[in-house]
């Protein structure tokens, strides 16, 4: 049988006992038990509260500041809860079961405890508590993975584009903690043959922002598929934001493009969001004559588009600010717009030199930014590349 951590070191035991004679007896029993124990003592529950970095607490139920099962309940309310074994002189029927039901791992009666029984009980209680914590942590991890998977499906959909001649690449990286944030993207081909794409970012981080981002992405796709004009799509998306956000100060930045059916020009809507790049060597920012407010900002004014001529062959990249704001070389300097343009131009050259490497252009860009940062990015990041005439 494999050894556990508790087999390799002394058990850390906190005795909460106000009676000096009983404390001496417990110490002697441990000495005779053959179990290596690092024994500490507190005389009150208040004193014990600062000493709970142990494997097991031996708890007397008759303390100066706590009596009966209430002592267990108070002990179990702290942020760190070790195993608890009740040690008391009270022998009335049913008290042991009630103590275990209240959260203790076991129950011992003073005067009936042998050295062997004490050592075995404390060791087993610590192992059971460790197993309980591991099982709880595993359940939480599974629950978090399930929630993340559900949000990924809502935030990061499969592009809905039937034109096989159009290049559509998408990429996403969760932040350093692995939890999805409010970044989202989508690409949809409309009934008239035009292609609409969006990249958005809900202000803040965490499951609430991720859930709101998923709702905005769904509202955007539904509005596009319903054939609404682009400006009205933004109106509907903002209405959903206002209705579903948890606090009135929550807002979302967003960039939307609509590529015309001939693939030679596009409409560009900027809603408080970074300007997309024309992805080439060199990579440059698209002209953006019209800039609008972020969604959810309580100021007057809607959104107007800029018309961008694309030509016969092009690639455009939309992104969230996670790639712009990432720090590089282990310092505080940020990659920024110029740095990101250089990274993208470098990856365009590398992709042209070795297009069959097996890694698409978006993955190359994200991996290069990650390498410059020196590990996983702090903020979540989404990228969308749309291209025509590049294959």
């Amino acid at each position: 049988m494999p050894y556990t951590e508790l087999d390799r070191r002394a058990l850390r035991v906190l005795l909460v006992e106000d009676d000096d004679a009983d404390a001496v007896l417990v110490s002697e029993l441990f000495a005779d038990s053959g179990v290596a124990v690092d024994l500490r003592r507190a005389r009150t529950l208040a004193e014990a509260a600062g000493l709970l970095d142990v494997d097991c607490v031996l708890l007397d139920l008759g303390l100066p500041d706590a009596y009966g099962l209430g002592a267990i309940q108070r002990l179990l309310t702290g942020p760190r809860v070790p195993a608890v074994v009740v040690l008391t002189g009270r022998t009335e029927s049913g008290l042991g079961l009630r103590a275990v039901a209240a959260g203790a791992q076991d129950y011992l009666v003073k005067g009936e405890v042998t050295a062997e029984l004490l050592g075995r009980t404390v060791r087993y209680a610590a192992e059971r508590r460790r197993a309980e914590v591991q099982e709880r942590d595993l359940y939480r991890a599974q629950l978090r993975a399930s929630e993340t998977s559900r949000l990924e499906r809502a935030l990061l959909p499969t592009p809905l584009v039937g034109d096989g001649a159009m290049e559509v690449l998408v990429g996403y990286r969760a932040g350093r903690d692995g939890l999805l944030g409010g970044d989202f993207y989508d690409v949809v081909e409309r009934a008239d043959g035009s292609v609409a794409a969006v990249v958005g970012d809900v202000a803040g981080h965490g499951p609430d922002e991720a859930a709101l981002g998923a709702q905005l992405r769904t509202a955007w796709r539904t509005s596009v598929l319903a054939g609404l004009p682009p400006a009205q799509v933004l109106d509907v998306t903002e209405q959903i934001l206002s209705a579903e956000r948890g606090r009135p100060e929550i807002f979302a930045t967003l960039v939307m493009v609509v590529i015309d059916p001939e693939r030679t020009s596009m409409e560009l809507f900027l809603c408080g969001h970074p300007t997309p790049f024309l992805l080439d060597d060199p990579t440059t920012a698209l002209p953006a004559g019209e800039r609008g407010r972020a969604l959810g900002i309580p100021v007057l004014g809607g959104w107007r588009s800029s018309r961008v001529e694309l030509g016969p062959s092009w690639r455009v990249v939309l992104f969230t600010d996670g790639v712009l704001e990432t720090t590089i070389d282990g310092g505080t300097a940020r990659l920024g717009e110029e740095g990101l343009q250089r990274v993208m131009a470098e990856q365009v050259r590398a992709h042209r030199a070795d297009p069959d490497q097996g890694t698409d252009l978006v993955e190359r860009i994200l991996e290069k930014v990650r390498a410059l940062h020196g590990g996983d990015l702090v903020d979540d990041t989404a990228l969308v590349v749309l291209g025509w005439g590049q294959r």
Side-chain angles (χ1 to χ4, degrees):
M1 180 178 295
Y3 286 97
T4 69
E5 179 190 357
L6 297 182
D7 292 309
R8 295 189 292 268
R9 62 168 174 78
L11 274 172
R12 298 168 301 179
V13 178
L14 174 63
L15 173 63
V16 188
E17 171 64 73
D18 63 322
D19 188 293
D20 290 337
D22 285 342
V24 171
L25 178 60
V26 168
S27 178
E28 292 175 348
L29 288 171
F30 271 127
D32 294 337
S33 69
V35 177
V37 171
D38 175 9
L39 185 63
R40 310 163 193 183
R41 182 187 174 193
R43 288 177 169 78
T44 65
L45 205 60
E47 184 182 350
L51 302 172
L52 293 181
D53 186 22
V54 293
D55 302 306
C56 184
V57 174
L58 275 174
L59 178 65
D60 183 19
L61 293 184
L63 298 169
D65 60 345
Y67 187 78
L69 298 180
I72 302 175
Q73 294 165 351
R74 284 179 55 186
L75 191 65
L76 297 180
T77 58
R80 190 191 187 286
V81 182
V84 176
V85 173
V86 168
L87 181 63
T88 181
R90 301 172 61 190
T91 60
E92 65 263 33
S93 176
L95 180 59
L97 288 177
R98 295 200 300 274
V100 172
Q105 269 65 45
D106 215 327
Y107 176 83
L108 295 172
V109 178
K110 295 177 181 179
E112 300 179 5
V113 182
T114 64
E116 181 182 0
L117 177 61
L118 178 61
R120 183 173 66 246
T121 299
V122 169
R123 188 178 186 282
Y124 286 6
E127 288 287 4
R128 283 196 297 273
R129 178 58 184 165
R130 188 172 65 89
E132 289 172 2
V133 171
Q134 290 177 338
E135 184 176 1
R136 179 197 63 199
D137 291 345
L138 176 61
Y139 173 74
R140 288 178 175 174
Q142 291 172 337
L143 191 64
R144 177 173 172 176
S146 176
E147 180 69 8
T148 297
S149 178
R150 185 182 68 82
L151 287 172
E152 278 183 343
R153 291 193 297 272
L155 283 167
L156 316 176
T158 300
L160 193 59
V161 178
D163 185 353
M166 187 164 188
E167 183 180 36
V168 180
L169 305 173
V170 296
Y172 178 86
R173 290 288 187 277
R176 182 168 294 163
D177 61 0
L179 184 66
L180 289 172
D183 287 13
F184 61 93
Y185 65 75
D186 206 349
V187 186
V188 174
E189 185 170 1
R190 296 166 21 124
D192 64 359
S194 62
V195 173
V198 67
V199 167
D201 184 0
V202 176
H205 304 279
D208 291 341
E209 287 75 13
L212 181 56
Q215 290 175 306
L216 298 184
R217 201 281 309 167
T218 302
W220 182 89
R221 173 175 279 206
T222 302
S223 301
V224 171
L225 291 175
L228 298 183
Q232 194 172 348
V233 169
L234 295 176
D235 288 336
V236 171
T237 305
E238 184 176 50
Q239 289 174 24
I240 297 300
L241 170 64
S242 299
E244 299 296 335
R245 61 187 174 184
R247 303 185 307 278
E249 64 269 20
I250 295 295
F251 65 92
T253 67
L254 181 148
V255 57
M256 179 173 71
V257 299
V258 182
I259 312 294
D260 74 343
E262 290 73 32
R263 313 295 189 238
T264 58
S265 67
M266 74 178 186
E267 288 185 87
L268 170 61
F269 293 83
L270 289 172
C271 308
H273 200 86
T275 306
F277 293 163
L278 188 64
L279 194 57
D280 206 334
D281 186 13
T283 290
T284 57
L286 288 175
E290 298 286 347
R291 286 184 175 272
R293 60 178 175 81
L295 277 63
I297 298 296
V299 297
L300 296 177
W303 302 277
R304 299 175 60 183
S305 66
S306 300
R307 181 179 175 84
V308 180
E309 299 298 331
L310 295 172
S313 178
W314 50 267
R315 272 196 184 105
V316 170
V317 57
L318 289 65
F319 49 88
T320 53
D321 61 6
V323 283
L324 291 176
E325 296 181 357
T326 187
T327 56
I328 58 174
D329 299 328
T332 59
R334 300 185 183 278
L335 182 60
E337 183 173 302
E338 292 184 1
L340 183 58
Q341 288 174 351
R342 288 193 297 271
V343 166
M344 290 185 173
E346 173 188 325
Q347 297 312 308
V348 167
R349 290 195 300 271
H351 184 69
R352 286 173 177 169
D354 186 13
D356 299 322
Q357 185 194 46
T359 303
D360 69 37
L361 190 54
V362 164
E363 290 300 312
R364 288 175 183 261
I365 292 169
L366 288 173
E367 283 304 309
K368 181 61 177 180
V369 172
R370 183 182 181 277
L372 288 172
H373 178 63
D376 293 338
L377 306 184
V378 175
D379 198 3
D380 50 328
T381 298
L383 265 73
V384 171
V385 169
L386 304 174
W388 184 258
Q390 295 288 334
R391 297 178 180 178

